[in-house]
Amino acid sequence: LIIRHDHRGAWGVTVNKPLSLLNCDLSDILDHVGLENTMGINAPVYAGGPVEKSRICILHSNDWSSASTLEITKDVSITYDLSILAALVGGHGPSKFKVCCGVSAWGPSQLEGEMSGQSPWTPRHMWLVTPATEKNIFDVDHDALWSISLTEAVNLEVKEWF
């Protein structure tokens, strides 16, 4: 999921790779930052990317926001400060959310090069893209997300040919 993309580069998060092998979930993060989990909330934590691996980013529905919230689409935002964790344990956070550790980042023009498959990248590096939807981010099982997104992207590409 690309969060921001401009002349300075781009950054985003991966939304389909849970950190289940590390036995890490939201309750572990809440314990680590000292927030009492009186609501008993829990959720898997996803590997957001290889950069800033200790950075916690929460993708969430747009029914909640704070000063650090960035709107990604009309339905999805991201917040990366502790206020969202406090809101979640306090019972007044967003209705939908996904926890990510780390981000993916690209320098100026790097993402465009990767997506195009042009030199120094190869056509094998070309990207297929699909619009970010609230459904795909929050409701589709992470094991199915890749194949669903791939099918949507191919259908969009084929539609452009005709």
Side-chain angles (χ1 to χ4, degrees), residues 13 21 25 39 58 77 118 121-122 154:
V13 293
L21 294 176
D25 56 30
M39 301 291 290
I58 314 286
S77 289
Q118 295 175 359
W121 296 276
T122 67
V154 168

Side-chain angles (χ1 to χ4, degrees), residues 55-106:
R55 183 179 189 178
I56 305 296
C57 300
I58 314 286
L59 291 165
H60 58 87
S61 49
N62 281 343
D63 53 355
W64 183 92
S65 68
S66 76
S68 73
T69 299
L70 296 172
E71 186 174 290
I72 303 166
T73 72
K74 67 179 183 61
D75 299 314
V76 180
S77 289
I78 190 166
T79 300
Y80 46 88
D81 69 25
L82 294 181
S83 66
I84 191 166
L85 296 177
L88 287 168
V89 299
H92 56 273
S95 58
K96 295 181 177 186
F97 65 94
K98 186 172 272 194
V99 183
C100 299
C101 281
V103 299
S104 297
W106 297 265

Side-chain angles (χ1 to χ4, degrees), residues 1 12-17 46-50 59 98 100 102 104:
L1 173 64
V13 293
T14 303
V15 296
N16 67 332
K17 296 186 183 213
Y46 291 81
L59 291 165
K98 186 172 272 194
C100 299
S104 297

